[in-house]
C-alpha cells in the first residue's frame, strides 16, 4: 500500500507530543501531514512558526484553498474546521463546534477519508476528550492505517484511549515508535 | 476494501451533483460552486439524521416538498457567528479604517452575508461609539430569509453574552457592554436604536448583481465556502460596488491575493484582511 497523506489529531499535551513527533521526522517526506490541535480561538500561529523553526519539514498554518503538498505540515487555524477537498486542497469552515471543538479532529479525518480513501494514515495523540475516535474509526473502515498514542505515555490518556476503544487501531505506540513507523513507511514507499 | 470506499464515494459525488442541480433548477439557489467538502459534509449529516437511505432519496423529497428544501437550505448555509468575532479585527477597524471613514460626510456600509446579524450590531456599536452612526446607511444582506428575520429582531440567547462581552472588551469597546442590551429570562434584546439606520434585505452573492455603491464592505467567512471561480465573481461584484478609496474587510483566513481583482487594492492590514480600493 502506498500512502498519500497523514492526518493527526491532538488536544491537551499535544504541543509537546507534536514537537517530539514532527522533529523526529526526516526531510523529503513523501506525504503531507495535516494536523488538528485543539487551541484557544483567539491564539496566534505561534505553534506553526515554532515547529517550522525546529523541524526539517515545512510547518505552516493552513490557508483556505491551499494545495496540499508532500513534505509540508498544515496546522488547522484557530476557530476554523479544516477539511480536505477532493482536489487535494485545504477547505476551512466556521460551522458549529463538533464535540465542543473547532477545529475538530473528526471533521478533518472524515473529509480526508473521502479524498484519500485507503491511502491515508490517521494518528490520535494525547487529549482529555473523545474527539478523533469517530474519525479514526472511519479511516479504519475505509482501509487506511490507524495509530493511537500509547495512553500510558500520553499527557492526557482519554483521547487515545477513546480512539482505541472505538476504532481498534492497527498500532498503539509511544511517540518514538510512531516516528519510527512513519519513517520506515516513507523509506519503503520511496523504493 | 479500497475500491469499495472509492466506489461509494463516486456514487455520493454523482448524487451531490444531481441534488445541487435539482435545487438550482427548482428553487434558484446555486450551491454548485460551493466548496465541495463542506456541502458533502452537511448533506451527509442531514442524511444520517434522517430516515432516508441515500442523497438520491433526499433529492426526491427536495423536489416535492418545499418544507424539506427549507431544511436543506438551513444545512447548506453556515449561520454560526458571534458579536465581535475576532476582536483584533474590530480593533483594527476602529484604529485604521474609522479615522478615514470620518473624512466622508455620509457613509454607506454593506454587510454581505450578514447571517443572524451579530456582526452587523457589533459594527453599529463601533460606529456609535466613534460618533459616526448618525451619518451612516447600513445595508445588511443575506440570501437566507430565515436568518434575516433573526437579524432584524436583534434578540440573542443570554448564554452567549459572556463570550460577546469578552470580545467587546478586547475589541476596544469604550463603554460597558451591558449598556447595549436588555436581558430577559433566556435572551437579550439589543438596543433598538442601533437598528435605526440599518436596512435588512435579501441578496444572493452568487446570483444577484450590484446592490448599491458603498464606502465599506464587510464580508467575513462567507468566501471560504466558495470555489475560486465563484470567489472571483464575488470580488468583481464587490469591486464594482465600492467607491474609489472604499474598504473591503474579509475574514482572517480569506484573501483577495489570488483574485483577478487584487491589483485594484492596497493592503491596509495584512493580518486582519483590510483592503482599500485604489483611486484610479
Amino acid at each position: 500500500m502506498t500512502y498519500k497523506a497523514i492526518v493527526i489529531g491532538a488536544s491537551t499535551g499535544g504541543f509537546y507530543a507534536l514537537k517530539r513527533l514532527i522533529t523526529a521526522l526526516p526531510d523529503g517526506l513523501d506525504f503531507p501531514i495535516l494536523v488538528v490541535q485543539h487551541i484557544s480561538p483567539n491564539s496566534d500561529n505561534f505553534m506553526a512558526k515554532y515547529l517550522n523553526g525546529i523541524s526539517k519539514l515545512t510547518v505552516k498554518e493552513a490557508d483556505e484553498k491551499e494545495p496540499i503538498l508532500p513534505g509540508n505540515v498544515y496546522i488547522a487555524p484557530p476557530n476554523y474546521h479544516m477539511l480536505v477537498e477532493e482536489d487535494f486542497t485545504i477547505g476551512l469552515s466556521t460551522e458549529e463546534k463538533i464535540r465542543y471543538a473547532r477545529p475538530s479532529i473528526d471533521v478533518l479525518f472524515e473529509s480526508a477519508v473521502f479524498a484519500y480513501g485507503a491511502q491515508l494514515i490517521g494518528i490520535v495523540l494525547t487529549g482529555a476528550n473523545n474527539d478523533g475516535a469517530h474519525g479514526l474509526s472511519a479511516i479504519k473502515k475505509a482501509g487506511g492505517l490507524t495509530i493511537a498514542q500509547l495512553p500510558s505515555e500520553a499527557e492526557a490518556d482519554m483521547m487515545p484511549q477513546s480512539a482505541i476503544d472505538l476504532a481498534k487501531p492497527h498500532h498503539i505506540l509511544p511517540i518514538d515508535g510512531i516516528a519510527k513507523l512513519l519513517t520506515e513507511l516513507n523509506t519503503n514507499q520511496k523504493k | 476494501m479500497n475500491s469499495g470506499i472509492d466506489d461509494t464515494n463516486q456514487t455520493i459525488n454523482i448524487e451531490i451533483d444531481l441534488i445541487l442541480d435539482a435545487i438550482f433548477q427548482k428553487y434558484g439557489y446555486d450551491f454548485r460552486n460551493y466548496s465541495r467538502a463542506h456541502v458533502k459534509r452537511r448533506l451527509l449529516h442531514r442524511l444520517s439524521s434522517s430516515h432516508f437511505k441515500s442523497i438520491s432519496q433526499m433529492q426526491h423529497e427536495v423536489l416535492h416538498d418545499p418544507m424539506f428544501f427549507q431544511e436543506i437550505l438551513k444545512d447548506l448555509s453556515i449561520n454560526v457567528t458571534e458579536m465581535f468575532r475576532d476582536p483584533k479585527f474590530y480593533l483594527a477597524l476602529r484604529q485604521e479604517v474609522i479615522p478615514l471613514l470620518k473624512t466622508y460626510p455620509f457613509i454607506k456600509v454593506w454587510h454581505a452575508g450578514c447571517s443572524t446579524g451579530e456582526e452587523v450590531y457589533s459594527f453599529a456599536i463601533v460606529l456609535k461609539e466613534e460618533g459616526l452612526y448618525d451619518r451612516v446607511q447600513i445595508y445588511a444582506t443575506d440570501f437566507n430569509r430565515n436568518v434575516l428575520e433573526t437579524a432584524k429582531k436583534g434578540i440573542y440567547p443570554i448564554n452567549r453574552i459572556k463570550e460577546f462581552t469578552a470580545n467587546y472588551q478586547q475589541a476596544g469597546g469604550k463603554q460597558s457592554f451591558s449598556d447595549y442590551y436588555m436581558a430577559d429570562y433566556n435572551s437579550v434584546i439589543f438596543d433598538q436604536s442601533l437598528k435605526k439606520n440599518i436596512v435588512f434585505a435579501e441578496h444572493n452573492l452568487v446570483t444577484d448583481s450590484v446592490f448599491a455603491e458603498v464606502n465599506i464592505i464587510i464580508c467575513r467567512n462567507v468566501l471560504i465556502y466558495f470555489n475560486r471561480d465563484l470567489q472571483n465573481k464575488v470580488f468583481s461584484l464587490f469591486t464594482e460596488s465600492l467607491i474609489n478609496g472604499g474598504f473591503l474587510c474579509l475574514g482572517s483566513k480569506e484573501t483577495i491575493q489570488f483574485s483577478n481583482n487584487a491589483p485594484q487594492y492596497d493592503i491596509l492590514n495584512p493580518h486582519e484582511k483590510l483592503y482599500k480600493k485604489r483611486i484610479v
Side-chain angles (χ1 to χ4, degrees), chain A residues 1 41-44 61-66 77-80 83-86 91-96 98 102 106-107 110-111 113-115 117-119 140-143, chain B residues 1-2 5-6 9 12-13 35-38 40-42 44 78 80-82 85-88 163 167 170 221 223-228 231 251-255 258 273:
Chain A
M1 172 67 69
N42 291 326
S43 54
D44 58 15
E61 189 178 281
D63 285 311
E64 65 114 17
K65 306 280 185 299
E66 179 172 18
N79 220 5
Y80 287 88
L83 297 89
V84 180
E85 295 284 346
E86 284 170 49
L92 297 177
S93 140
T94 58
E95 72 175 285
E96 49 272 73
I98 311 286
R102 186 175 55 220
D106 286 338
V107 168
E110 285 161 13
S111 68
V113 167
F114 286 123
Q119 296 174 295
K140 187 154 184 228
K141 240 180 250 165
Chain B
M1 209 164 197
N2 186 6
I5 177 85
D6 290 347
N9 193 32
I12 293 171
N13 286 341
S35 164
R36 192 44 77 91
H38 157 72
K40 188 173 198 167
R41 184 177 164 74
R42 303 297 288 187
L44 289 176
I78 295 296
V80 181
T81 179
E82 59 198 73
R85 182 189 156 101
D86 306 324
K88 280 185 222 151
E163 171 195 14
N167 284 352
Q170 288 174 45
N221 298 313
L223 297 169
I224 48 172
Y225 299 105
F226 297 173
N227 71 16
R228 280 265 188 263
Q231 285 182 349
S252 59
K253 295 305 291 183
E254 292 164 333
T255 175
F258 305 112
K273 305 296 157 72

Side-chain angles (χ1 to χ4, degrees), chain B residues 78-94:
Chain B
I78 295 296
N79 298 308
V80 181
T81 179
E82 59 198 73
M83 291 195 76
F84 296 95
R85 182 189 156 101
D86 306 324
K88 280 185 222 151
F89 165 80
Y90 284 92
L91 193 60
L93 207 53
R94 204 188 268 267

